[in-house]
Amino acid sequence: MNIAQVDYDGLIPNNVGLGQDPRVKRALEKWHPGYIDWWKEMGPEGFQESLVYLRTAVSVDPKGWAKFDYVRMPEYRWGVLLAPQHEGRKIPFGVHKGEDAWQEVPGEYRAMLRRLIVIQGDTEPASVEQQRHLGKTAPSLYDLRNLFQVNVEEGRHLWAMVYLLQKYFGADGREEAEALLQRRSGHADTPRMLGAFNEKTPDWLSFFMFTYFTDRDGKMQLEALAQSGFDPLSRTCRFMLTEEAHHMFVGETGVTRVVQRTCEAMKEAGITDPNNIEAVRKLGVIDLPTIQKKANMHFSLTLDLFGNEISTNAANAFHAGLKGRYREDRLKDDHQLEGATYPVLRLIDGKIQNADTPALSALNMRLRDDYVVDANIGVGRWNKVIAEHGIPFEIKLPHVAFHRHIGEFASIKADVNGNLLSEAEWEKRRGEFLPSDSDREFIEGLMQPQFEPAKFASWIAPPRVGIDNKPGDFEYVKIADA
Ligand code: BYC
């Protein structure tokens, strides 16, 4: 079959030849009703009968892989799509470097590989659960459609991981695939696996911050897994990254539009002091210091997703050839790192300082460092908008020691500049750094739906261009049951 084209004839669109693989086809068809039940129970609240202008992958050819059309979400064609196989691909790093990439699960690494796939898979439905109530307060039909696009694609990413479990891991893979539908974000007894995926996404500013910061962890982790010597995982992640780019676009432009509206409103009202919060809020926009606090919150929660700075799990996964570094294929070293070191920011004698550490153990830290560089790029764009309006304010990412629950700094308290604080100081100053109850109440009050085509809530600017080049008054969602 032509790998670039997707077979849409069966229940499960795919480019992996499911038609010739009856065992896996049956397993996925058996899993399908449970998935639809999960989507109806935990997917977007309301809007299931609405027609949403969604993109669906019809090919894995980067030049033209998606088509746009109106779809009811439960009828979205969730499929299994792998990027094309590279003939003769070798394992690019670790102890097996240079050997043929694995097309089957290497027995000795089975458990480690399954764990990585399950953790990746678990985050996908988790984010849909976290965002399920946002539809009813969408600031425009354009944003509503983007939310649902992100949601259906996270659903597809779950399918991507479930395919790997069903195809390559037999009975225990099937059990894990079932369990992915059973856990629930924030549930007391059966929570999702990673911390940030059990937090709330209470409002649309959080949604934009989440898609900017947390989906970017997704990008980094997928990039690292796309390097994997286990070829089906690599190919799956390569295609997921194509979709992931839109999610980060939604986040980056979402925050930009919030910042822009705030700056415009301040300028119109002649307010020059960004810290005159009360006056700014009266304009029906979100003040810049509160936007900073939201960024502090989502950035710090996302840093926890990189795991401990020093990690034998990460060292083992790299050594085995299962999970590489960010863009491993572009790095110029021996790709084995046995004798190498990497500077890790640690807490030594009560001070935060760099310490050279075996590079293999420091791989989580390295990925996190790459993430911080990447995350700063969009922040620069937000600041450009503020500067263009002549407002003396700069959004900054907080220090990596700030508000951490995993790793080196979980046991201490620090301010956004990395100065250590006592518990009492932290409690006293917490509201300076993170959204307070009154900040949350203010934002909640702004979250009124705007479902008229071409209209936007008071606190957000329209986008520069429409999705699929549609005009400004395009009806992205034909609401049936809001
Ligand atoms: N919360 O050795 P360590 C995405 C556990 S996002 C709770 O440092 P490791 C997306 C850890 O599991 C990307 N527990 O761990 C974004 C371990 O437990 P066990 C998702 C945590 O393995 C938006 C123990 O602590 N993909 O795609 O080096 C929307 C020791 O820790 C946490 C992946 O993450 C935490 N934050 O690093 C939708 C890729 N951190 O096993 C989707 C796959 C650590 O001792 N996952 N622990 O019981 C991995 O590569 C790694 O598992 C981690 C953790 C990077 C997450």
Side-chain angles (χ1 to χ4, degrees):
M1 74 181 286
N2 176 359
I3 181 84
Q5 289 309 318
V6 179
D7 170 4
Y8 268 92
D9 290 344
L11 178 65
I12 302 157
N14 72 93
N15 69 346
V16 295
L18 268 190
Q20 291 83 55
D21 197 346
R23 183 189 64 81
V24 177
K25 185 163 175 274
R26 253 197 320 275
L28 287 172
E29 284 174 356
K30 224 171 140 198
W31 187 78
H32 184 263
Y35 171 80
I36 296 293
D37 287 348
W38 166 80
W39 178 268
K40 288 188 176 155
E41 188 197 329
M42 296 310 295
E45 225 176 84
F47 305 98
Q48 299 284 348
E49 290 304 314
S50 301
L51 287 168
V52 187
Y53 192 68
L54 293 175
R55 75 175 181 188
T56 306
V58 288
S59 158
V60 289
D61 181 345
K63 287 194 212 87
W65 60 275
K67 79 168 172 50
F68 289 82
D69 209 347
Y70 282 108
V71 182
R72 284 187 188 83
M73 285 185 280
E75 290 159 18
Y76 188 78
R77 302 299 306 276
W78 285 285
V80 177
L81 305 166
L82 267 59
Q85 188 170 353
H86 291 164
E87 219 36 68
R89 179 170 180 260
K90 306 288 178 201
I91 298 168
F93 57 89
V95 70
H96 301 285
K97 189 186 129 197
E99 297 173 20
D100 286 343
W102 295 295
Q103 301 304 329
E104 294 296 330
V105 174
E108 75 240 73
Y109 304 133
R110 196 170 186 280
M112 210 191 311
L113 192 52
R114 194 185 57 208
R115 175 179 172 275
L116 288 172
I117 293 170
V118 168
I119 294 178
Q120 179 63 49
D122 191 68
T123 62
E124 315 289 2
S127 68
V128 177
E129 292 165 3
Q130 288 172 298
Q131 295 161 13
R132 67 185 301 263
H133 55 87
L134 288 174
K136 54 182 181 289
T137 57
S140 71
L141 291 182
Y142 167 89
D143 291 291
L144 187 63
R145 176 264 167 212
N146 281 349
L147 168 71
F148 295 155
Q149 182 72 59
V150 169
N151 291 161
V152 293
E153 283 174 353
E154 298 303 5
R156 205 203 68 71
H157 291 180
L158 170 61
W159 273 92
M161 292 301 123
V162 164
Y163 168 71
L164 295 179
L165 290 169
Q166 303 273 22
K167 171 138 178 101
Y168 296 99
F169 291 90
D172 47 336
R174 276 197 297 283
E175 268 168 42
E176 293 286 12
E178 268 321 304
L180 284 166
L181 296 177
Q182 304 308 325
R183 288 186 284 274
R184 293 285 181 268
S185 174
H187 196 282
D189 303 323
T190 53
R192 292 292 172 184
M193 297 172 89
L194 299 178
F197 291 91
N198 289 304
E199 299 285 333
K200 290 202 159 60
T201 310
D203 55 66
W204 276 79
L205 183 53
S206 272
F207 170 66
F208 294 135
M209 291 290 180
F210 183 96
T211 40
Y212 184 74
F213 287 114
T214 310
D215 280 76
R216 193 170 303 276
D217 169 51
K219 167 185 165 181
M220 303 308 286
Q221 301 290 350
L222 290 173
E223 288 272 7
L225 294 173
Q227 303 289 337
S228 182
F230 179 53
D231 209 37
L233 177 61
S234 164
R235 292 172 56 201
T236 302
C237 292
R238 270 163 45 212
F239 186 67
M240 289 163 77
L241 279 161
T242 319
E243 293 163 315
E244 200 70 26
H246 173 69
H247 306 183
M248 287 176 292
F249 162 86
V250 168
E252 183 182 325
T253 55
V255 178
T256 305
R257 290 162 54 217
V258 177
V259 167
Q260 188 187 325
R261 187 67 208 110
T262 300
C263 294
E264 286 167 0
M266 285 174 68
K267 219 170 160 193
E268 282 156 23
I271 300 170
T272 49
D273 178 5
N275 293 311
N276 191 351
I277 290 173
E278 213 178 308
V280 174
R281 287 187 176 182
K282 279 197 185 129
L283 306 173
V285 295
I286 306 174
D287 52 285
L288 297 174
T290 299
I291 296 174
Q292 171 73 65
K293 287 191 211 174
K294 280 275 193 186
N296 292 346
M297 172 89 164
H298 288 273
F299 177 72
S300 57
L301 286 173
T302 304
L303 291 184
D304 285 339
L305 293 174
F306 289 85
N308 290 280
E309 289 86 344
I310 313 286
S311 162
T312 28
N313 284 343
N316 290 339
F318 184 88
H319 182 79
L322 300 182
K323 182 180 173 190
R325 288 170 290 177
Y326 180 55
R327 301 195 170 154
E328 184 77 40
D329 47 356
R330 298 189 202 171
L331 298 175
K332 301 244 173 307
D333 58 24
D334 70 356
H335 302 279
Q336 290 184 314
L337 305 177
E338 299 292 344
T341 60
Y342 187 81
V344 174
L345 216 46
R346 306 200 64 177
L347 193 64
I348 299 170
D349 300 332
K351 286 206 189 87
I352 297 174
Q353 44 192 298
N354 264 317
D356 275 341
T357 308
L360 274 174
S361 317
L363 285 162
N364 286 344
M365 176 76 184
R366 178 166 183 147
L367 195 61
R368 200 185 79 195
D369 283 346
D370 288 333
Y371 167 81
V372 174
V373 171
D374 205 58
N376 254 314
I377 297 171
V379 176
R381 296 200 185 111
W382 302 338
N383 284 329
K384 203 161 152 250
V385 173
I386 302 174
E388 279 165 4
H389 288 81
I391 296 167
F393 192 90
E394 212 179 305
I395 298 175
K396 291 195 188 86
L397 294 183
H399 193 278
V400 293
F402 168 76
H403 188 235
R404 298 298 307 281
H405 299 94
I406 299 276
E408 202 65 24
F409 307 115
S411 58
I412 54 132
K413 294 283 184 276
D415 69 11
V416 286
N417 298 314
N419 301 309
L420 298 186
L421 300 178
S422 67
E423 283 287 342
E425 282 170 319
W426 166 259
E427 281 311 322
K428 211 165 104 204
R429 295 185 56 197
R430 189 190 163 98
E432 272 176 50
F433 312 130
L434 294 169
S436 62
D437 287 345
S438 67
D439 296 331
R440 274 190 288 271
E441 272 162 35
F442 168 69
I443 294 180
E444 211 175 285
L446 282 184
M447 297 295 125
Q448 303 299 329
Q450 176 51 272
F451 291 153
E452 261 185 70
K455 293 224 169 138
F456 290 81
S458 65
W459 52 271
I460 188 163
R464 274 179 205 214
V465 280
I467 293 295
D468 193 29
N469 282 322
K470 290 295 174 208
D473 60 354
F474 185 70
E475 194 176 1
Y476 287 99
V477 183
K478 295 186 181 178
I479 294 176
D481 62 343

